[in-house]
Amino acid sequence: MYKIAVIPGDGIGKEVMEATLHILDASTIGFEYTFADAGDELADKTGIPLPQKTIDIVKQSQACLFGAAGETAADVIVKLRRELDLYVNLRPVKSYPGTKSLFEDIDFVIVRENTEGLYSGIEEYTEEGATAVRVITNKASERICRFAFEYAVKTDRTKVTAVHKANVLKKTDGIFKDNFYKVAEEFIGIKSDDKYVDATAMFFITQPKMFSVIVTTNLFGDILSDEGAGLVGGLGLIPSANIGEKYGLFEPVHGSAPLIAGKGIANPSAMVLSAVMMLEYLGEIEEARKLEESLITVLTEGKIVTEDLGGTAST
Ligand code: ATP
């Protein structure tokens, strides 16, 4: 029996969460849910978008499923990432049938460092304009690279590629790259290579099948993840995971979509795939595959799909 914190949040977050829990309940694995509040609706009522009680519930659980937060997303999800030290942002780039993917058979993941880099928040005005500090530490570089290799082992992938710009950012990305190859030595069964970020942006479009696991720093990972989303047909089907030493939080990449909320037409696939990632994180690999393959069957048949995929089905 796994203890799962459930934060449905706002808008379609609530709708896709309900659908996903319904599916998880059909699994032979037992889940015990603890529901917690966060987001716009809660902020309207209480003035606080992310109460301490919600953080505590997540800390007392083995994993957290998160739906969506609207306007308060920065105060909710960014704060949760920091409070729980979720240093990995994991985004699969995978083509599914019946979607607007530019290629078939794309299947790689981006492992993005989530705590430092150019998003360390150190900025200041100068006489000429402003500067931002790009913080790269040995500790954070090593742990994100180690996560990427361990993830490759766990999910039967054979190659990890470090993406950087060490020819220009010689010191910061030099440290990132050195840590990558140091960690690579411990994983003899996994191939390792590295690419410049600009070349990688092009290879996503020209030769996306060359990638298996990509590990990269914060800003590069942010940009490449969205390029990856575009590559496989947009936000509707894209899950993500935020992972740290102690906690894991799984959420669709889309937001609360106020324009379609309340109509019962949201596509639950991204939330279902977030649950697949949670099952992988919990080590329930077989159950994860079963759930993902069921979704692929439904998408391939194309009979029961939501409006965004050209169908008429409800959530
Ligand atoms: P927020 O302010 O919470 O980020 P948003 O509407 O700006 O919400 P998204 O929630 O990412 O951003 O959605 C943008 C649009 O994408 C939606 O209006 C909707 O048309 C479409 N969309 C997003 N997620 C889904 C989904 N699960 N099913 C169907 N359409 C979706």
Side-chain angles (χ1 to χ4, degrees), residues 185-296:
E185 283 173 19
E186 297 170 33
F187 294 85
I188 27 175
I190 308 279
K191 278 183 244 155
S192 53
D193 66 0
D194 67 279
K195 298 227 170 327
Y196 294 134
V197 63
D198 44 353
T200 302
M202 183 191 66
F203 289 138
F204 268 29
I205 308 298
T206 56
Q207 300 175 57
K209 287 174 198 167
M210 74 160 71
F211 299 110
S212 182
V213 176
I214 286 174
V215 61
T216 189
T217 52
N218 208 339
L219 171 71
F220 296 163
D222 193 15
I223 297 170
L224 289 176
S225 302
D226 273 24
E227 190 189 358
L231 188 61
V232 294
L235 291 178
L237 260 93
I238 307 211
S240 74
N242 297 277
I243 295 172
E245 304 287 351
K246 290 202 209 139
Y247 311 107
L249 183 149
F250 304 84
E251 54 164 341
V253 166
H254 65 71
S256 65
L259 286 178
I260 61 163
K263 295 185 181 163
I265 57 167
N267 184 349
S269 301
M271 189 76 237
V272 172
L273 290 169
S274 302
V276 168
M277 297 186 84
M278 180 185 78
L279 289 167
E280 285 176 354
Y281 168 80
L282 294 170
E284 299 288 351
I285 305 296
E286 207 178 303
E287 207 66 8
R289 290 289 75 75
K290 235 195 267 177
L291 179 49
E292 188 183 14
E293 273 154 30
S294 306
L295 180 66
I296 291 172

Side-chain angles (χ1 to χ4, degrees), residues 80-278:
L80 273 169
R81 284 182 189 144
R82 204 172 41 231
E83 286 276 333
L84 305 170
D85 192 22
L86 303 173
Y87 67 92
V88 184
N89 188 265
L90 195 62
R91 288 261 295 260
V93 181
K94 189 163 179 174
S95 50
Y96 286 100
T99 61
K100 293 186 191 117
S101 183
L102 299 184
F103 296 85
E104 282 174 15
D105 304 325
I106 297 178
D107 181 9
F108 63 89
V109 293
I110 299 173
V111 177
R112 163 187 165 197
E113 206 290 323
N114 221 4
T115 65
E116 55 178 34
L118 204 49
Y119 291 170
S120 53
I122 307 169
E123 282 194 300
E124 64 177 15
Y125 291 109
T126 62
E127 271 174 29
E128 294 80 26
T131 57
V133 178
R134 184 172 195 259
V135 177
I136 300 285
T137 63
N138 281 303
K139 182 177 170 234
S141 302
E142 189 193 325
R143 73 175 178 173
I144 196 72
C145 291
R146 173 157 290 112
F147 180 93
F149 280 96
E150 282 170 356
Y151 183 83
V153 171
K154 217 162 85 179
T155 55
D156 285 328
R157 291 173 184 270
T158 53
K159 189 171 94 173
V160 182
T161 303
V163 171
H164 59 81
K165 190 71 182 169
N167 54 337
V168 177
L169 300 165
K170 291 197 172 87
K171 291 178 183 153
T172 48
D173 268 356
I175 284 183
F176 183 75
K177 193 177 153 190
D178 287 350
N179 277 283
F180 173 76
Y181 281 112
K182 199 173 85 191
V183 173
E185 283 173 19
E186 297 170 33
F187 294 85
I188 27 175
I190 308 279
K191 278 183 244 155
S192 53
D193 66 0
D194 67 279
K195 298 227 170 327
Y196 294 134
V197 63
D198 44 353
T200 302
M202 183 191 66
F203 289 138
F204 268 29
I205 308 298
T206 56
Q207 300 175 57
K209 287 174 198 167
M210 74 160 71
F211 299 110
S212 182
V213 176
I214 286 174
V215 61
T216 189
T217 52
N218 208 339
L219 171 71
F220 296 163
D222 193 15
I223 297 170
L224 289 176
S225 302
D226 273 24
E227 190 189 358
L231 188 61
V232 294
L235 291 178
L237 260 93
I238 307 211
S240 74
N242 297 277
I243 295 172
E245 304 287 351
K246 290 202 209 139
Y247 311 107
L249 183 149
F250 304 84
E251 54 164 341
V253 166
H254 65 71
S256 65
L259 286 178
I260 61 163
K263 295 185 181 163
I265 57 167
N267 184 349
S269 301
M271 189 76 237
V272 172
L273 290 169
S274 302
V276 168
M277 297 186 84
M278 180 185 78

